[in-house]
Amino acid sequence: MRVTKEYRLKVTEEAQKIVDQLTLEQKVSLMSGSIVDLNKVTQEQIMEMMGGMLSDDNHYNMTPYPAGGLEEHNVPPMLFVDGPRGVVCGTGKSTCFPVSMARGATFSPELEEKVGNCIGREVRAFGGNLFAGVCINLPYNPGWGRSQETYGEETYQVGKMGAALVKGVQDEDVMACVKHYAFNDMENARFKCSVTCDQRTEQEVYLPHFKDCIDAGAASVMSAYNRYNGVQCGHHKYLLSQVLKKEWDFDGFVMSDFCWGVLDTVEAANGGQDMEMMWTQYFGERLVKAVQDGFVPEERINDAALRIVRTILAFDKDHKEYDMSVVGCPEHIAVAKEVAEKAITLIKNDGVLPLKREETKKLALIGKLANTAIIGDHGSSWVRPPYVVTPEDGLKKANAECEVIFDDGSDLERAKKLAAESDAVVFVVGYNYDDEGEFISGDQASNYTGAMGGDRKRSLGLHEDEIKLLQEVGPVNEKSAAVLVGGNMIMMTEWYDKVNAVIMAYYPGMEGGTALAEIIYGDVNPSGKLPYVVPYSEDDLPHVDWEATDQYYEYYHGYTRLEKNGVKPLVPYGFGLSYTTFDITDPKAVVDGDELKVTVNVKNTGAIDGDEVVQVYVGFENSAVDRPVKQLRGFRRVSLKAGEEKEVEITTPLEKLKWYDPVYREWKLEKMEYPVYVGSSAAEEDLVKTAVTIS
């Protein structure tokens, strides 16, 4: 059964009876991680424990992390499992899905819900009951090192995909934890930076996707390390108590980000923090004393205890049981492969792809990532699957009659010779966990682990040697394709015209090499769409000081910023090519109750079957206030056989057309004509136009 919000509220009476029986100490015990009480161990013991967590035999979250629980009252502990590209527990077992940014490129909430189902089953098999992998922070700048863990740059799309993952995970009776609330879009400075923005930016850009996940029934929310308007997010009364719990009517519990998410007992508890993770430091005995001394009202403790007990009991009653046979099972691996097939995005194709097997007897595979297990970050999201199919593995298996010759590209003359002698060339270039990812270093964390990952501070482009490789070796063979690996937008301006095809592979998961080869040879028709814009210049994007203690977020970022400034991108938001062609015609838009309903005809005009992502953008050119030129406000993935035509209907709540008035602190729907654009990307040439009037 799905543990809905309504069902959780039904167990409130039972939970309240339990909480009423508890002592202050017992209630507070529910509010902290159980790994260790830092007030009762030495610094040397902490360092030894954290150091041991770096090995494959005893890595971070090797088993679920417990918090709270009262056995004598039949309240099980919360058992935490991290994500988001799969279950991080164990070694050589879990299914490794493509990273969330790749899954965002599918533009398929239905497929993301299936991913959630798979992950939920594996969480239960490992003994967990909470999955903390619904990461929906919005990258203000694509250089954010951890942006591979979210779905894209557009709040509407991120909200739809995140809500789908919540539903899928919770269908398996596993609590979904949404993170990191909020404004957590920088890695290197995440422990010290205070983000500031105006209230329209807060309400319209950086919070809506969190609300979408709460409305989908998310059981838990993780607060962020950073500060917002000078206040620690884990202590933030406005974010946690006012917006989340009061305005959005969130009935679940809030947990802190691990180890350094709570820095003050009284401020955190009074701010609305319900659970300190992963250990006890500022809660526990300190919180008990703060209540006894009158600094924290016991009503606040009662509220936290009720939220925790109610939520855990709701998901514990008659929950689904799975054994380890589901972990990394063929069904889940097939879903991981399907996601990679539908995510990998064909950006450019000058008649090169798909390669014909009968004409490809010798393939040059160039680039140091070509024979590497490229599955993403090595921080808290690191999944250790039973195997990983590399691009080399996939290409060798896809065409047994072809000689695949790998070259790391370090010697340009050697690479040129190989390219000239081959029937086709595939370059694999981009990033790995050293280039981007969760950053663990600096002030607090350096005592426990070494540095890793971080933001892309140097550049949003490829490494200098890879740029030179594509510039000099790309033109040697007229059948050249560059495969990009990375977690977010990669600049291409310097070499884009030097190769004949470009593919964005993201970090495509354990079956990524298989999916990539299928697309290169045409066994799978590419259908991914970029969940971000690619500019000609980094200067077209918002500036970020990745080491800042204060960072201001402007209202515009990504494709809305370029459009507002009249800047044409290199590749538009939502763009992705196919091996077939589609016509999108006859758009109609009407207001139906509290929804905008858009219909359009979509026809596959090519010779092979394929998928198209139909995108709906609503324009605001008639607005009386400063608003984007247009914004994505609907999408649907459609499968069409060659020659097939379908009428597609896409609905959007009128709530999503409102703007936030900071003077009256309310959402307002303007009475005016709204242009409605429907098509295959955000580019004007890829859209057909209609309009709807709201009066």
Side-chain angles (χ1 to χ4, degrees), residues 191-241:
F191 293 117
K192 63 183 180 181
C193 187
S194 176
V195 173
T196 305
C197 65
D198 65 42
Q199 202 157 38
R200 280 195 63 198
T201 302
E202 168 198 291
Q203 291 285 322
E204 294 182 31
V205 182
Y206 289 96
L207 294 187
H209 38 286
F210 283 98
K211 186 177 186 296
D212 290 340
C213 291
I214 300 306
D215 291 344
S220 179
V221 169
M222 180 186 288
S223 59
Y225 282 134
N226 55 281
R227 291 173 290 141
Y228 177 55
N229 289 336
V231 180
Q232 190 82 13
C233 285
H235 307 171
H236 214 293
K237 195 167 188 175
Y238 170 72
L239 287 177
L240 303 182
S241 297

CSV table of all heavy atoms in Angstrom, one decimal, residues 191-241:
chain,number,residue,atom,x,y,z
A,191,PHE,N,29.8,24.8,4.2
A,191,PHE,CA,29.8,24.9,5.6
A,191,PHE,C,29.8,26.3,6.1
A,191,PHE,O,29.6,26.6,7.3
A,191,PHE,CB,31.0,24.1,6.2
A,191,PHE,CG,30.9,22.6,6.0
A,191,PHE,CD1,31.9,22.0,5.3
A,191,PHE,CD2,29.9,21.9,6.6
A,191,PHE,CE1,31.8,20.6,5.1
A,191,PHE,CE2,29.8,20.5,6.4
A,191,PHE,CZ,30.8,19.8,5.7
A,192,LYS,N,30.1,27.2,5.2
A,192,LYS,CA,30.3,28.6,5.7
A,192,LYS,C,29.5,29.7,5.0
A,192,LYS,O,29.3,30.8,5.4
A,192,LYS,CB,31.8,29.0,5.6
A,192,LYS,CG,32.3,29.0,4.2
A,192,LYS,CD,33.8,29.3,4.1
A,192,LYS,CE,34.3,29.3,2.7
A,192,LYS,NZ,35.8,29.6,2.6
A,193,CYS,N,29.0,29.3,3.8
A,193,CYS,CA,28.3,30.3,2.9
A,193,CYS,C,26.9,30.6,3.4
A,193,CYS,O,26.1,29.7,3.7
A,193,CYS,CB,28.3,29.9,1.5
A,193,CYS,SG,27.7,31.2,0.4
A,194,SER,N,26.6,31.9,3.4
A,194,SER,CA,25.2,32.4,3.6
A,194,SER,C,24.6,32.9,2.2
A,194,SER,O,25.2,33.8,1.6
A,194,SER,CB,25.1,33.5,4.6
A,194,SER,OG,23.8,34.0,4.7
A,195,VAL,N,23.6,32.2,1.8
A,195,VAL,CA,22.9,32.6,0.5
A,195,VAL,C,21.9,33.7,0.8
A,195,VAL,O,21.1,33.6,1.8
A,195,VAL,CB,22.3,31.4,-0.1
A,195,VAL,CG1,21.4,31.8,-1.3
A,195,VAL,CG2,23.3,30.4,-0.5
A,196,THR,N,21.8,34.7,0.0
A,196,THR,CA,20.8,35.7,0.1
A,196,THR,C,20.1,35.9,-1.2
A,196,THR,O,20.7,35.8,-2.3
A,196,THR,CB,21.5,37.1,0.5
A,196,THR,OG1,22.2,36.9,1.7
A,196,THR,CG2,20.4,38.1,0.8
A,197,CYS,N,18.8,36.2,-1.2
A,197,CYS,CA,18.0,36.5,-2.4
A,197,CYS,C,16.8,37.2,-2.0
A,197,CYS,O,16.4,37.3,-0.8
A,197,CYS,CB,17.7,35.2,-3.2
A,197,CYS,SG,16.6,34.1,-2.4
A,198,ASP,N,16.1,37.8,-3.0
A,198,ASP,CA,14.9,38.5,-2.6
A,198,ASP,C,13.8,37.5,-2.5
A,198,ASP,O,13.9,36.3,-2.9
A,198,ASP,CB,14.5,39.6,-3.6
A,198,ASP,CG,14.3,39.1,-5.0
A,198,ASP,OD1,13.6,38.0,-5.2
A,198,ASP,OD2,14.7,39.7,-6.0
A,199,GLN,N,12.6,37.9,-2.0
A,199,GLN,CA,11.6,36.9,-1.7
A,199,GLN,C,10.9,36.3,-2.9
A,199,GLN,O,10.5,35.2,-2.9
A,199,GLN,CB,10.5,37.6,-0.8
A,199,GLN,CG,9.7,36.5,0.0
A,199,GLN,CD,9.1,37.1,1.3
A,199,GLN,OE1,8.6,38.2,1.3
A,199,GLN,NE2,9.1,36.3,2.3
A,200,ARG,N,10.8,37.0,-4.0
A,200,ARG,CA,10.3,36.4,-5.2
A,200,ARG,C,11.2,35.3,-5.7
A,200,ARG,O,10.8,34.3,-6.1
A,200,ARG,CB,10.1,37.5,-6.3
A,200,ARG,CG,8.9,38.3,-6.2
A,200,ARG,CD,8.6,39.1,-7.5
A,200,ARG,NE,8.3,38.2,-8.5
A,200,ARG,CZ,8.4,38.5,-9.8
A,200,ARG,NH1,8.7,39.7,-10.2
A,200,ARG,NH2,8.1,37.6,-10.8
A,201,THR,N,12.5,35.5,-5.7
A,201,THR,CA,13.5,34.5,-6.1
A,201,THR,C,13.3,33.3,-5.2
A,201,THR,O,13.3,32.1,-5.7
A,201,THR,CB,14.9,35.1,-6.0
A,201,THR,OG1,15.0,36.2,-6.9
A,201,THR,CG2,15.9,34.0,-6.5
A,202,GLU,N,13.2,33.5,-3.9
A,202,GLU,CA,13.0,32.4,-2.9
A,202,GLU,C,11.8,31.6,-3.3
A,202,GLU,O,11.8,30.4,-3.4
A,202,GLU,CB,12.9,33.0,-1.5
A,202,GLU,CG,12.4,32.0,-0.5
A,202,GLU,CD,11.9,32.7,0.8
A,202,GLU,OE1,12.7,33.3,1.5
A,202,GLU,OE2,10.7,32.7,1.0
A,203,GLN,N,10.7,32.3,-3.4
A,203,GLN,CA,9.4,31.6,-3.5
A,203,GLN,C,9.1,31.1,-4.9
A,203,GLN,O,8.5,30.0,-5.0
A,203,GLN,CB,8.2,32.6,-3.2
A,203,GLN,CG,8.2,33.0,-1.7
A,203,GLN,CD,7.6,31.9,-0.8
A,203,GLN,OE1,6.7,31.2,-1.2
A,203,GLN,NE2,8.2,31.8,0.3
A,204,GLU,N,9.6,31.7,-5.9
A,204,GLU,CA,9.3,31.3,-7.3
A,204,GLU,C,10.3,30.4,-7.9
A,204,GLU,O,10.0,29.6,-8.8
A,204,GLU,CB,9.1,32.5,-8.2
A,204,GLU,CG,7.9,33.4,-7.9
A,204,GLU,CD,7.8,34.6,-8.8
A,204,GLU,OE1,8.2,34.5,-10.0
A,204,GLU,OE2,7.3,35.6,-8.4
A,205,VAL,N,11.6,30.5,-7.4
A,205,VAL,CA,12.7,29.7,-8.1
A,205,VAL,C,13.2,28.6,-7.2
A,205,VAL,O,13.4,27.5,-7.7
A,205,VAL,CB,13.8,30.7,-8.5
A,205,VAL,CG1,14.9,29.9,-9.2
A,205,VAL,CG2,13.3,31.8,-9.3
A,206,TYR,N,13.4,28.8,-5.9
A,206,TYR,CA,14.2,27.9,-5.1
A,206,TYR,C,13.4,27.0,-4.1
A,206,TYR,O,13.9,26.1,-3.6
A,206,TYR,CB,15.3,28.6,-4.4
A,206,TYR,CG,16.4,29.0,-5.4
A,206,TYR,CD1,16.4,30.3,-5.9
A,206,TYR,CD2,17.3,28.1,-5.8
A,206,TYR,CE1,17.3,30.7,-6.9
A,206,TYR,CE2,18.3,28.4,-6.8
A,206,TYR,CZ,18.3,29.7,-7.3
A,206,TYR,OH,19.2,30.0,-8.3
A,207,LEU,N,12.1,27.4,-3.9
A,207,LEU,CA,11.3,26.5,-3.0
A,207,LEU,C,10.2,25.7,-3.7
A,207,LEU,O,9.8,24.7,-3.1
A,207,LEU,CB,10.7,27.4,-1.9
A,207,LEU,CG,11.7,28.1,-1.0
A,207,LEU,CD1,10.9,28.8,0.1
A,207,LEU,CD2,12.7,27.1,-0.4
A,208,PRO,N,9.7,26.1,-4.9
A,208,PRO,CA,8.5,25.3,-5.4
A,208,PRO,C,8.7,23.8,-5.6
A,208,PRO,O,7.8,23.1,-5.3
A,208,PRO,CB,8.3,26.0,-6.8
A,208,PRO,CG,8.8,27.4,-6.6
A,208,PRO,CD,10.0,27.2,-5.7
A,209,HIS,N,9.9,23.4,-6.0
A,209,HIS,CA,10.2,22.0,-6.2
A,209,HIS,C,10.2,21.2,-4.8
A,209,HIS,O,9.8,20.0,-4.8
A,209,HIS,CB,11.5,21.7,-6.9
A,209,HIS,CG,12.6,22.6,-6.6
A,209,HIS,ND1,12.6,23.9,-7.0
A,209,HIS,CD2,13.7,22.5,-5.9
A,209,HIS,CE1,13.7,24.5,-6.6
A,209,HIS,NE2,14.4,23.6,-5.8
A,210,PHE,N,10.6,21.9,-3.8
A,210,PHE,CA,10.4,21.3,-2.4
A,210,PHE,C,9.0,21.1,-2.1
A,210,PHE,O,8.6,20.0,-1.6
A,210,PHE,CB,11.2,22.1,-1.4
A,210,PHE,CG,12.7,22.0,-1.4
A,210,PHE,CD1,13.4,22.9,-2.0
A,210,PHE,CD2,13.3,20.9,-0.8
A,210,PHE,CE1,14.8,22.7,-2.0
A,210,PHE,CE2,14.6,20.7,-0.8
A,210,PHE,CZ,15.4,21.7,-1.4
A,211,LYS,N,8.2,22.1,-2.3
A,211,LYS,CA,6.7,22.0,-2.0
A,211,LYS,C,6.1,20.8,-2.9
A,211,LYS,O,5.2,20.1,-2.4
A,211,LYS,CB,6.0,23.3,-2.3
A,211,LYS,CG,4.5,23.2,-1.9
A,211,LYS,CD,3.9,24.6,-2.1
A,211,LYS,CE,2.4,24.6,-1.5
A,211,LYS,NZ,1.6,23.6,-2.2
A,212,ASP,N,6.5,20.7,-4.1
A,212,ASP,CA,6.0,19.6,-5.0
A,212,ASP,C,6.2,18.3,-4.3
A,212,ASP,O,5.3,17.4,-4.4
A,212,ASP,CB,6.6,19.7,-6.4
A,212,ASP,CG,6.2,20.9,-7.2
A,212,ASP,OD1,5.2,21.5,-6.9
A,212,ASP,OD2,6.9,21.2,-8.1
A,213,CYS,N,7.4,18.1,-3.7
A,213,CYS,CA,7.7,16.8,-3.1
A,213,CYS,C,6.9,16.6,-1.8
A,213,CYS,O,6.5,15.5,-1.4
A,213,CYS,CB,9.2,16.7,-2.8
A,213,CYS,SG,10.1,16.5,-4.4
A,214,ILE,N,6.7,17.7,-1.1
A,214,ILE,CA,5.9,17.7,0.1
A,214,ILE,C,4.4,17.3,-0.3
A,214,ILE,O,3.8,16.5,0.4
A,214,ILE,CB,5.9,19.0,0.9
A,214,ILE,CG1,7.4,19.3,1.3
A,214,ILE,CG2,5.0,19.0,2.1
A,214,ILE,CD1,8.0,18.2,2.1
A,215,ASP,N,3.9,17.9,-1.3
A,215,ASP,CA,2.6,17.7,-1.8
A,215,ASP,C,2.4,16.2,-2.2
A,215,ASP,O,1.3,15.7,-2.2
A,215,ASP,CB,2.2,18.6,-2.9
A,215,ASP,CG,2.0,20.1,-2.4
A,215,ASP,OD1,1.9,20.3,-1.2
A,215,ASP,OD2,2.0,21.0,-3.3
A,216,ALA,N,3.5,15.6,-2.7
A,216,ALA,CA,3.5,14.2,-3.1
A,216,ALA,C,3.5,13.3,-1.9
A,216,ALA,O,3.5,12.0,-2.1
A,216,ALA,CB,4.7,13.9,-4.0
A,217,GLY,N,3.7,13.8,-0.7
A,217,GLY,CA,3.6,13.0,0.5
A,217,GLY,C,4.9,12.6,1.1
A,217,GLY,O,5.0,11.7,1.9
A,218,ALA,N,6.0,13.3,0.8
A,218,ALA,CA,7.3,13.0,1.4
A,218,ALA,C,7.3,12.9,2.9
A,218,ALA,O,6.7,13.8,3.6
A,218,ALA,CB,8.3,14.0,0.9
A,219,ALA,N,7.9,11.9,3.4
A,219,ALA,CA,7.8,11.6,4.9
A,219,ALA,C,8.8,12.5,5.7
A,219,ALA,O,8.6,12.7,6.9
A,219,ALA,CB,8.1,10.2,5.1
A,220,SER,N,9.9,12.9,5.0
A,220,SER,CA,11.0,13.5,5.8
A,220,SER,C,11.7,14.6,4.9
A,220,SER,O,11.6,14.5,3.7
A,220,SER,CB,12.0,12.5,6.2
A,220,SER,OG,13.1,13.1,6.9
A,221,VAL,N,12.3,15.5,5.5
A,221,VAL,CA,13.1,16.6,4.9
A,221,VAL,C,14.4,16.7,5.6
A,221,VAL,O,14.5,16.7,6.8
A,221,VAL,CB,12.3,17.9,4.9
A,221,VAL,CG1,13.3,19.0,4.4
A,221,VAL,CG2,11.1,17.8,4.0
A,222,MET,N,15.5,16.8,4.8
A,222,MET,CA,16.8,17.0,5.4
A,222,MET,C,17.2,18.5,5.2
A,222,MET,O,17.1,19.0,4.1
A,222,MET,CB,17.9,16.2,4.7
A,222,MET,CG,19.3,16.4,5.3
A,222,MET,SD,20.6,15.5,4.4
A,222,MET,CE,20.2,13.8,4.9
A,223,SER,N,17.6,19.2,6.3
A,223,SER,CA,18.0,20.6,6.2
A,223,SER,C,19.4,20.6,5.6
A,223,SER,O,20.1,19.6,5.6
A,223,SER,CB,17.9,21.2,7.5
A,223,SER,OG,18.7,20.6,8.5
A,224,ALA,N,19.8,21.8,5.2
A,224,ALA,CA,21.1,22.0,4.6
A,224,ALA,C,22.2,22.5,5.5
A,224,ALA,O,21.9,23.0,6.6
A,224,ALA,CB,20.9,23.0,3.4
A,225,TYR,N,23.5,22.3,5.1
A,225,TYR,CA,24.6,22.8,5.8
A,225,TYR,C,24.7,24.4,5.8
A,225,TYR,O,25.1,25.0,6.8
A,225,TYR,CB,25.9,22.3,5.3
A,225,TYR,CG,26.2,20.9,5.6
A,225,TYR,CD1,26.7,20.0,4.6
A,225,TYR,CD2,26.2,20.4,6.9
A,225,TYR,CE1,27.0,18.7,4.9
A,225,TYR,CE2,26.5,19.1,7.2
A,225,TYR,CZ,26.9,18.2,6.2
A,225,TYR,OH,27.2,17.0,6.5
A,226,ASN,N,24.4,24.9,4.6
A,226,ASN,CA,24.7,26.4,4.4
A,226,ASN,C,23.7,27.2,5.3
A,226,ASN,O,22.7,26.7,5.9
A,226,ASN,CB,24.5,26.7,3.0
A,226,ASN,CG,23.2,26.3,2.4
A,226,ASN,OD1,23.0,25.1,2.1
A,226,ASN,ND2,22.2,27.2,2.3
A,227,ARG,N,23.9,28.5,5.2
A,227,ARG,CA,23.1,29.5,5.9
A,227,ARG,C,22.2,30.1,4.8
A,227,ARG,O,22.6,30.2,3.7
A,227,ARG,CB,23.9,30.5,6.7
A,227,ARG,CG,24.6,29.9,7.9
A,227,ARG,CD,25.5,31.0,8.5
A,227,ARG,NE,26.7,31.2,7.7
A,227,ARG,CZ,27.2,32.4,7.5
A,227,ARG,NH1,26.7,33.5,8.1
A,227,ARG,NH2,28.3,32.6,6.7
A,228,TYR,N,21.0,30.6,5.3
A,228,TYR,CA,20.2,31.4,4.4
A,228,TYR,C,19.9,32.7,5.1
A,228,TYR,O,19.4,32.7,6.3
A,228,TYR,CB,18.9,30.6,4.0
A,228,TYR,CG,17.9,31.4,3.2
A,228,TYR,CD1,18.3,32.0,2.0
A,228,TYR,CD2,16.6,31.6,3.6
A,228,TYR,CE1,17.4,32.8,1.3
A,228,TYR,CE2,15.7,32.4,2.9
A,228,TYR,CZ,16.1,33.0,1.7
A,228,TYR,OH,15.3,33.7,0.9
A,229,ASN,N,20.2,33.8,4.5
A,229,ASN,CA,20.0,35.1,5.1
A,229,ASN,C,20.7,35.2,6.5
A,229,ASN,O,20.1,35.7,7.5
A,229,ASN,CB,18.5,35.5,5.2
A,229,ASN,CG,17.9,35.8,3.9
A,229,ASN,OD1,18.7,36.2,2.9
A,229,ASN,ND2,16.6,35.7,3.7
A,230,GLY,N,21.8,34.5,6.6
A,230,GLY,CA,22.7,34.6,7.8
A,230,GLY,C,22.4,33.5,8.9
A,230,GLY,O,23.1,33.4,9.9
A,231,VAL,N,21.3,32.7,8.7
A,231,VAL,CA,20.9,31.8,9.7
A,231,VAL,C,21.1,30.3,9.2
A,231,VAL,O,20.8,30.0,8.0
A,231,VAL,CB,19.4,31.9,10.0
A,231,VAL,CG1,19.0,30.9,11.1
A,231,VAL,CG2,19.1,33.3,10.5
A,232,GLN,N,21.7,29.5,10.0
A,232,GLN,CA,22.0,28.1,9.6
A,232,GLN,C,20.7,27.4,9.2
A,232,GLN,O,19.7,27.5,9.9
A,232,GLN,CB,22.5,27.4,10.9
A,232,GLN,CG,23.1,26.0,10.6
A,232,GLN,CD,24.5,26.0,10.1
A,232,GLN,OE1,25.2,27.0,10.1
A,232,GLN,NE2,24.9,24.9,9.6
A,233,CYS,N,20.7,26.8,8.1
A,233,CYS,CA,19.4,26.2,7.6
A,233,CYS,C,18.9,25.1,8.5
A,233,CYS,O,17.7,24.9,8.6
A,233,CYS,CB,19.6,25.6,6.2
A,233,CYS,SG,19.7,26.8,4.9
A,234,GLY,N,19.7,24.4,9.2
A,234,GLY,CA,19.3,23.5,10.2
A,234,GLY,C,18.7,24.1,11.5
A,234,GLY,O,18.1,23.4,12.3
A,235,HIS,N,18.8,25.4,11.6
A,235,HIS,CA,18.2,26.1,12.7
A,235,HIS,C,17.1,27.1,12.3
A,235,HIS,O,16.6,27.8,13.1
A,235,HIS,CB,19.3,27.0,13.4
A,235,HIS,CG,20.5,26.3,13.8
A,235,HIS,ND1,21.6,27.0,14.3
A,235,HIS,CD2,20.9,25.0,13.8
A,235,HIS,CE1,22.6,26.1,14.5
A,235,HIS,NE2,22.2,24.9,14.3
A,236,HIS,N,16.8,27.1,11.0
A,236,HIS,CA,16.1,28.2,10.4
A,236,HIS,C,14.6,28.1,10.7
A,236,HIS,O,13.8,27.4,10.0
A,236,HIS,CB,16.3,28.2,8.9
A,236,HIS,CG,16.3,29.5,8.3
A,236,HIS,ND1,15.2,30.4,8.2
A,236,HIS,CD2,17.4,30.2,7.7
A,236,HIS,CE1,15.6,31.5,7.6
A,236,HIS,NE2,16.9,31.4,7.3
A,237,LYS,N,14.1,29.0,11.6
A,237,LYS,CA,12.7,28.9,12.0
A,237,LYS,C,11.8,29.3,10.9
A,237,LYS,O,10.7,28.7,10.7
A,237,LYS,CB,12.5,29.9,13.2
A,237,LYS,CG,11.2,29.7,13.9
A,237,LYS,CD,11.1,30.4,15.2
A,237,LYS,CE,9.9,30.1,16.0
A,237,LYS,NZ,9.9,30.7,17.4
A,238,TYR,N,12.2,30.3,10.0
A,238,TYR,CA,11.4,30.6,8.9
A,238,TYR,C,11.2,29.5,7.9
A,238,TYR,O,10.1,29.1,7.5
A,238,TYR,CB,12.0,31.9,8.2
A,238,TYR,CG,11.3,32.2,6.9
A,238,TYR,CD1,10.0,32.7,6.8
A,238,TYR,CD2,12.0,31.9,5.7
A,238,TYR,CE1,9.4,33.0,5.6
A,238,TYR,CE2,11.4,32.2,4.5
A,238,TYR,CZ,10.1,32.7,4.4
A,238,TYR,OH,9.5,33.0,3.2
A,239,LEU,N,12.3,28.9,7.5
A,239,LEU,CA,12.3,27.8,6.6
A,239,LEU,C,11.6,26.5,7.1
A,239,LEU,O,10.7,25.9,6.5
A,239,LEU,CB,13.7,27.4,6.1
A,239,LEU,CG,14.4,28.3,5.1
A,239,LEU,CD1,15.8,27.9,4.8
A,239,LEU,CD2,13.6,28.5,3.8
A,240,LEU,N,12.0,26.1,8.3
A,240,LEU,CA,11.5,24.8,8.9
A,240,LEU,C,10.1,24.9,9.5
A,240,LEU,O,9.3,24.1,9.3
A,240,LEU,CB,12.5,24.3,10.0
A,240,LEU,CG,14.0,24.2,9.5
A,240,LEU,CD1,14.8,23.6,10.6
A,240,LEU,CD2,14.1,23.2,8.3
A,241,SER,N,9.9,25.9,10.3
A,241,SER,CA,8.6,26.0,11.1
A,241,SER,C,7.6,26.8,10.3
A,241,SER,O,6.4,26.3,10.2
A,241,SER,CB,8.9,26.7,12.4
A,241,SER,OG,9.7,25.9,13.2
